[in-house]
Amino acid sequence: MDVDGILGNRDSKLGKSSIPRRRQWVKRRETWLVILGVILHAVYMLSIFDIYFKTPIVHGMDLVSPRFSPPAKRLVLLVADGLRADKFFEPDLEGNFRAPFLRNVIKNQGRWGVSHARPPTESRPGHVAIIAGFYEDPSAVTKGWKANPVEFDSVFNRSRHTISYGSPDIVPIFCGALPHSTWATYPHEFEDFATDASFLDEWSFDQFQSLLNRSNEDPKLKRLLEQDNLVVFLHLLGCDSNGHAHRPFSSIYLNNVKVVDHIAERVYSLLENYYKDNRTSYIFTADHGMSDKGSHGDGHPSNTDTPLVVWGAGVKHPRPVTAKDHSDHVLRFIDQHLHDAPTPKEWDLDGIERVDVNQADIAPLMSTLLGLPCPVNSVGNLPLGYVDMKEEEEVEAVLANTKQILNQFLRKSQIKQSHSLFFKPFKPLASYFSMLNQIEELLSARDYKAAMQLSENLRSLALKGLHYFQTYDLLMLMATITLGYIGWMVFLVLHVLQAYTLLPGDIFRKEEAVHEKSNTGKAQLCGCLFMAVVSVLLFLEHSPPLYHAYFAMTIFLWTQILNEYKFIKALWRYLCGRTSDYVIKLLALGVVSVIILELLVHSFTERKLYTWCFLIVGAIASIYLYKSIPWRSGIPVFVCLTCWFLSLFTLMPAEIPDNNKLVNASGVMVIVIGLTGQWLDLKAGVNRFWFGICNHEKRKPRFPMLFQLQALFVGLSSVMVFLSTSHRTEKQELHTIHQLMNWFIAGFSMILPLFSENGLLSRLNSIFLGFAPPFLLLSIGYEAVFYGALGLVLIAWILFENSLLYVHKVNKSSASGKNLGEHAFLENDTRYLQLSDMRIPLTFMVLFNVAFFGTGNFASIASFEISSVYRFITVFSPFLMAALLIFKLFIPFLLVM
């Protein structure tokens, strides 16, 4: 029986003698492709750091000293880590506000607003924005946000002395290498998510209070505290830890809001009684918020909106809202939220003027209040709505802010020009010097309004110029990487067509014969010459070594494609010679494939698309299989039900609610699924139909008790879920014995699949049971059921594909007049790809994405529950916690593979 292959009929033109030689060629080539693929993806993944994680920090700029008298001698910065704006401003269920002292400040003493953070909304990037005025060096992700890969300037650097107490993950970043600082941190062991972390905030206050008390007996410390340009920084971690452990709507988190308010009140009273000169400024804010599920990192308003309260020396007093009020900034904030957003009525602050800022704007605000130069790397705009200064001094402050940003632009322009052969300047700032002179002339003429407007315009242009040079190589790099990935895909398609399709004999023999003797030498020579020219240009421009690797990989791939010129040309002639029906069929398949891929892209933000996908596919696949199988079977019904079952999960919220009873029930479900798989595998030994589909091996199992052992570990993991969670919910620390047992069960169970049989169902069943214990121990709700549902769909998919293959073999043997039962297998049968086989990679792509997006959004690790790791570790350890969380996300992906 002839089978219409993807590019030709199934005939015998190759001959049996050439099959071993062809298989050896395919094996060698694919070994080389695997090595090339690993290298290619490793190199191209590093391009992320050159495109998106390129440090914005440059050195060599001069400080811009302000030309006005500082309104404050000292400044206190209180940062409540992880405090959401809405939980801070809104009342509780009884109508009482959680921060009475700071609300009184808002209404009677100072100014307020919402500070907008930029993703990634993590602790280090948030503090860098507040204290240094720029949106983090993204390359710090390589240091786990815990160290400075590139040193930068900050308000603390410019101060005469800085006093700081708080977390060991934050305070050393800014004070660790600062000689004029006094600081201390609590041990890492204090950051235990199994306890109420508000005591960490009290620790920071107690340390500062103790310092002031010691100064009464220490004249040297007393003189240090009486200096001007003094900065006090208290990092209050309680809200962040309690938000992760108990969620931001829990009583523990909400009570922590009262704790930080009480600390702000005590710090204010302590310093006012200590100095009695009204020359202290106070800033209360947060580095990021907290999502409802106890995580942060992405750009959701619950993560980016943080409170800001400023009062004391040099700060304007409250003012009622008027119709003329407007923001100092442009249309949108850094987090893409609109300006002049209405104040929620439940905050009861809609009658008082609100001044929202970008988080980086706080750094120039602190510098201005103390009369210090702005940090040289700052990109923040001075928020004049907070500063109480004369009109002339306001213009001078904004001008100093503008010059500082302009100096960064000029330095970046100078560096890029010195390295570029074909430099393209930022034209809008070509006449910046004349603009500065014009501002000085307006100041001399006391035209402060015009000077202010021109200064703000120049500052805006300087910020755009900084962005221009930060993304100067963006288009070139993205084009190179995109061409490289396209080349890789084309190269793989050519390999598949050559190795797994049966072209007409004359074409294939001709191409195989001339494959080594064609114009490959010319193509390789051209590729080498082109790469040499590119390398010389990159070297002259002092480009990083990785730039050479990106171009080399892309040029190499397209050189290899050009080597296949004659094959591509012959292929094109062959397609042109086919009937119009075949071409239409090929185009239709391409269109359907593109539509499915587009739907996968849209599913990144709209998970419900998978629900419709599995509802439709479940029905179509079962009907198709029912009509294809010439005998009665339960497989079509099984395929339909499993697809419909999996479709439910993408309707559920990404915020996974705690439900440990469901996790325990999922353990029982996993064991039942395992028992079913084991029964089907045993049935395959006596039933010819199942024997043919499952490729069952007729031999004695090497480890007959393997299934029972794996089922035992699944049961133990369910028990440990109950025990570990019950202790944590009672605010007890995780018992060491529980922790060790969880690690042992998770680790040992993943080794057991290595000892499973090679039969299809037994192997799949063993892998499914082997990864179930770690997934259950890392689960907190319905995602544990998702694991079982995904396993059922994978079993259904394999049964579906193997049933069709079995039917094809039986039909072929029946056409030869042979008995159905005697020919379950056809020895030495070489099968070539058909157009219908496109469903396999497309199905894999869908399942691959569902494995990631079935219970969350893999685009942001913040969309997954950090509380998932609390059965293994509760003391804060970002690397280990992130590794466990990512491993949990990859377990469904491993099943799909």
Side-chain angles (χ1 to χ4, degrees), residues 325-346:
D325 289 337
H326 61 86
S327 297
D328 293 329
H329 301 281
V330 289
L331 183 62
R332 287 181 181 269
F333 286 103
I334 195 71
D335 57 4
Q336 296 302 309
H337 298 161
L338 289 172
H339 283 231
D340 299 322
T343 301
K345 290 191 177 295
E346 59 268 22

Side-chain angles (χ1 to χ4, degrees), residues 475-532:
L475 183 61
M476 176 193 70
L477 289 175
M478 292 192 72
T480 303
I481 302 302
T482 302
L483 280 173
Y485 275 120
I486 293 173
W488 174 243
M489 289 185 281
V490 171
F491 193 41
L492 288 181
V493 169
L494 291 176
H495 168 70
V496 170
L497 294 179
Q498 290 178 339
Y500 296 104
T501 62
L502 190 59
L503 296 170
D506 55 338
I507 292 180
F508 194 88
R509 281 200 302 271
K510 177 184 175 182
E511 295 309 317
E512 192 171 40
V514 301
H515 192 65
E516 304 294 335
K517 302 176 184 178
S518 61
N519 294 330
T520 56
K522 292 181 180 179
Q524 290 173 356
L525 178 62
C526 292
C528 291
L529 290 175
F530 184 55
M531 185 61 227

Side-chain angles (χ1 to χ4, degrees), residues 73 86 298 367 397 410 531 617 666 768 868:
K73 285 186 65 177
D86 57 345
D298 58 24
S367 297
L410 295 174
M531 185 61 227
V617 169
S666 300
F768 174 73
S868 300

Side-chain angles (χ1 to χ4, degrees), residues 586-604:
L586 195 61
L587 291 175
L589 183 63
V591 170
V592 171
S593 301
V594 170
I595 291 173
I596 292 175
L597 293 177
E598 281 297 317
L599 289 175
L600 289 178
V601 172
H602 287 292
S603 70
F604 291 177

